[in-house]
Amino acid sequence: MNRPIRVAFLSEHASPLAMLGGADAGGQNVYVSEVSRNLAQRGYVVDVFTRCDSPATPQVTTCVPGVRVVSLSAGPLQPRPKDELWPYMPAFRDALLHFIKHDEAHYDLVHGNYWMSGWVAVELRKRLAVPIVQIFHAMGKAKRLHLKGLDTSPGDRIQSELAVIQQADSIIAQCPHERFELVNDYGADPRKIALIPSAVNSNIFRPIARDEARQRIGLDTEERVIVYVGRMLPRKDIRNIVRALALLLQQDERAQGVCVSSITLMIVGGESEQPDPIATPEIGELQKLAAELGVTQHVRFIGKRQPAELCYYYSAGDVTVTTPWYESFGLTPLEAMACGRPIIGSAVGGITYTIKDGETGLLVPPRDPEALAVCLRQLLTQPEVCIQMGLAARKRVEQEFTWSIVAMRTAALYEALLAERMCPPLAIEPLSLLSLPLVSNTSSPEEMDCDAH
Ligand code: UDP
């Protein structure tokens, strides 16, 4: 193909333009931003379609040459929790088809992100006769299993995921565990699954000397510092880190030791730049827990920070910790590793793949503060081990987890799919787009029972 390959990237709730750190702005936003930019560097043309959540957002924003973000009107022009967006997906689809018609755009391939955009991608496949690649970022069955009654996903999420898995031409799994979930929990055809681990921007996330980093963020302490970075959700189980911290401090008191008795836990993330328990209820829960356990003065809430600043927060720490109940991939372990810091992570999902236990960090069982306290003590009392692990971590990231590798593998997948079709992509007949009948063996969201609402 002589002209550039054009890709429609669908990401209904996660825009590359969003500020990161809030409840619905995390890893998926980073993935969409980095993969689209790196594909553009390889000569692809990518339009990222997201839902417009403000009247002030322009319809089209050019991020870098080759990447545009298109904000589609579907539902209220204000931020809404992602679990409320499902009923607006037919409107999202129609707005996208209108855009194609008016922009006279054509796409060779559609890349769906998350299950709702997966549904839209399947709809486009029927109308545009182009292949679709799907990446879920998180699976509904795992969420239901772990969150139980707290899962606010629409009731037909899993049914929709099953339909997308059947109809997608290819599905990206970010780690072997996700491939296992797709095949075993959802009956996906293993031949359709491409394993493409996500990555970290190792220019943004780079090692900085500890004292310089602390000075930069105004952290005036000689204490040992444990860092958490991420969204402030119960399932991220930051409470587990607070409990482990309390155990560590109690053990020291009992032993009258001096090893780790001066520790600070720094928690980065939330809805606002200033930590606010009203805007971010999980901060309130953590403050309550810290008070109950008598460790309030050892816990500092920072609020959300953007990637350019985050390397100072990771680098200011001696060790980073993330112990979610479950995690489909998890970018924050890679970010800590890229900053040359050891990471303790729970042995779930993609974290078991990114952390080399004993080499670049340590794995612990989830929901086990005692085990975490043991690992924290092990690292905080052995700075030389931390240095060695940090060096190994940075090396692992540089060799295996860069976004240019992700883009190279994604491009190879696209090209294999396009070659399989063995025919040039169809030119879109803009006028006929919206009048094509919907040939579907799945219900559309408006026909389905959204009992979670
Ligand atoms: N993040 C951020 N600022 C914050 C908190 C988090 O930029 O204040 C970013 C973090 O650096 C990471 C992403 O949000 O890139 C979280 O991704 P991860 O895969 O770890 O978790 P997910 O959001 O996918 O559950």
Side-chain angles (χ1 to χ4, degrees):
M1 195 181 294
N2 293 330
R3 61 174 180 76
I5 294 173
R6 297 182 62 94
V7 183
F9 238 73
L10 316 188
S11 178
E12 80 293 316
H13 73 276
S15 165
L17 304 175
M19 299 291 274
L20 301 176
D24 284 341
Q28 184 175 329
N29 305 64
V30 175
Y31 174 92
V32 171
S33 171
E34 291 284 358
V35 175
S36 59
R37 285 163 194 262
N38 279 272
L39 283 170
Q41 274 175 14
R42 300 183 72 85
Y44 286 73
V45 173
V46 184
D47 281 347
V48 179
F49 291 92
T50 62
R51 194 187 77 87
C52 184
D53 65 3
S54 159
T57 309
Q59 193 192 23
V60 178
T61 307
T62 299
C63 294
V64 292
V67 180
R68 301 189 299 178
V69 175
V70 183
S71 293
L72 299 174
S73 180
L77 292 179
Q78 52 181 258
R80 303 301 313 153
K82 66 174 183 284
D83 285 341
E84 289 180 15
L85 299 181
W86 180 224
Y88 306 120
M89 288 304 105
F92 187 86
R93 170 199 64 200
D94 293 345
L96 206 162
L97 291 171
H98 271 294
F99 176 83
I100 291 177
K101 181 177 164 188
H102 289 293
D103 205 58
E104 296 186 8
H106 64 269
Y107 298 101
D108 302 294
L109 194 137
V110 175
H111 185 138
N113 290 265
Y114 202 57
W115 67 277
M116 287 185 273
S117 282
W119 179 85
V120 179
V122 168
E123 290 288 296
L124 294 182
R125 184 180 192 270
K126 291 169 199 157
R127 289 163 164 78
L128 308 183
V130 292
I132 62 171
V133 170
Q134 170 68 16
I135 178 167
F136 283 97
H137 296 281
M139 302 303 307
K141 286 195 180 184
K143 191 167 184 185
R144 183 164 292 179
L145 178 72
H146 291 279
L147 296 194
K148 300 191 172 69
L150 298 177
D151 183 5
T152 51
S153 303
D156 44 8
R157 172 176 177 170
I158 292 169
Q159 188 190 340
S160 253
E161 287 174 337
L162 285 163
V164 173
I165 285 167
Q166 272 186 2
Q167 292 174 65
D169 296 272
S170 185
I171 304 162
I172 294 176
Q174 296 188 86
C175 62
H177 181 265
E178 196 180 6
R179 182 171 53 190
F180 178 88
E181 266 182 300
L182 285 163
V183 173
N184 290 275
D185 298 348
Y186 285 87
D189 177 351
R191 289 167 304 180
K192 281 206 315 199
I193 301 178
L195 182 65
I196 306 183
S198 283
V200 58
N201 186 325
S202 55
N203 296 321
I204 295 178
F205 293 94
R206 61 195 189 283
I208 293 163
R210 200 188 77 162
D211 291 347
E212 182 192 338
R214 287 188 184 186
Q215 201 178 10
R216 167 75 182 242
I217 63 172
L219 185 68
D220 182 20
T221 180
E222 286 300 310
E223 295 188 353
R224 297 272 175 233
V225 174
I226 301 166
V227 179
Y228 169 83
V229 176
R231 293 186 293 147
M232 307 287 290
L233 305 177
R235 75 141 177 116
K236 296 284 183 182
D237 208 2
I238 310 159
R239 299 175 205 181
N240 188 53
I241 312 176
V242 174
R243 290 195 181 98
L245 171 72
L247 286 173
L248 208 52
L249 294 165
Q250 278 164 18
Q251 287 161 6
D252 256 19
E253 257 173 36
R254 278 202 299 272
Q256 293 182 336
V258 286
C259 306
V260 288
S261 56
S262 38
I263 314 175
T264 295
L265 168 60
M266 190 163 64
I267 298 175
V268 184
E271 301 304 316
S272 49
E273 295 220 341
Q274 290 302 318
D276 175 359
I278 309 276
T280 313
E282 187 60 15
I283 291 184
E285 294 297 325
L286 292 166
Q287 284 172 335
K288 219 161 55 187
L289 180 65
E292 277 164 25
L293 297 173
V295 297
T296 298
Q297 71 276 26
H298 293 275
V299 182
R300 291 196 196 195
F301 294 93
I302 303 296
K304 72 172 160 192
R305 292 292 180 272
Q306 297 314 295
E309 275 184 280
L310 279 180
C311 65
Y312 294 98
Y313 287 88
Y314 284 114
S315 296
D318 296 283
V319 57
T320 298
V321 178
T322 181
T323 55
W325 300 333
Y326 67 95
E327 193 67 83
S328 51
F329 185 72
L331 295 180
T332 56
L334 288 181
E335 292 167 357
M337 288 164 65
C339 293
R341 294 297 182 273
I343 162 96
I344 303 176
S346 49
V348 297
I351 300 177
T352 57
Y353 180 71
T354 47
I355 297 180
K356 280 262 179 227
D357 193 21
E359 282 177 41
T360 66
L362 298 172
L363 291 173
V364 288
R367 303 175 193 259
D368 190 343
E370 284 84 8
L372 177 56
V374 169
C375 288
L376 280 169
R377 175 172 292 278
Q378 189 182 334
L379 292 186
L380 294 176
T381 54
Q382 299 187 82
E384 67 292 350
V385 171
C386 288
I387 291 169
Q388 286 315 314
M389 281 187 170
L391 289 170
R394 173 75 195 182
K395 195 165 158 201
R396 177 162 167 73
V397 156
E398 284 170 351
Q399 287 173 347
E400 298 197 31
F401 296 101
T402 68
W403 289 113
S404 61
I405 297 176
V406 177
M408 183 186 73
R409 291 178 176 154
T410 307
L413 174 63
Y414 290 170
E415 275 161 42
L417 285 176
L418 292 172
E420 228 172 66
R421 297 220 151 191
M422 289 211 305
C423 59
L426 295 180
I428 289 164
E429 191 55 68
L431 289 175
S432 64
L433 279 175
L434 295 172
S435 55
L436 284 175
L438 174 66
V439 185
S440 171
N441 56 6
T442 57
S443 312
S444 62
E446 69 268 52
E447 290 159 349
M448 290 177 170
D449 168 29
C450 296
D451 56 11
H453 303 297

